[in-house]
Amino acid sequence: MRKWQKEIGESLGWKIRLLTGSIGANESRFEMEFQVETLDALDKAWAKLATFEAHKRLGREVEPFVVSGTNRWEVLRVVDL
């Protein structure tokens, strides 16, 4: 994940926070969290991400460690109190 952040995340301008299961969640669960300003910015980043050969290569490298079909994106909104 650090390698992905260095090679891919930084070029997208994303500062990634890596989370893993601890209490009430599977210890094998890993999540990458980042923040974007708008859905349009996210859409543009995803389009750019699709062109990165390094992203495809790193995906192949981690493939043995990921259960096929279990990855998913969730878009959440920050609510300030």
Side-chain angles (χ1 to χ4, degrees):
M1 300 313 299
R2 286 186 183 113
K3 188 175 183 179
W4 190 93
Q5 170 59 24
K6 187 75 177 155
E7 292 185 29
I8 310 301
E10 287 181 7
S11 63
L12 292 171
W14 291 352
K15 181 170 174 33
I16 302 294
R17 188 164 79 159
L18 184 62
L19 303 112
T20 186
S22 184
I23 299 172
N26 293 331
E27 292 177 355
S28 60
R29 181 176 172 177
F30 279 87
E31 293 188 11
M32 286 177 23
E33 178 184 276
F34 60 93
Q35 211 169 349
V36 294
E37 293 300 317
T38 65
L39 288 177
D40 185 55
L42 179 60
D43 188 51
K44 287 178 181 174
W46 278 342
K48 188 175 181 183
L49 184 61
T51 68
F52 290 165
E53 190 56 42
H55 177 65
K56 295 172 189 171
R57 178 180 43 80
L58 288 171
R60 289 188 297 271
E61 287 178 18
V62 300
E63 189 174 19
F65 308 105
V66 177
V67 176
S68 181
T70 62
N71 59 320
R72 72 177 204 213
W73 289 83
E74 291 182 335
V75 178
L76 305 173
R77 183 177 4 182
V78 175
V79 179
D80 292 321
L81 297 177

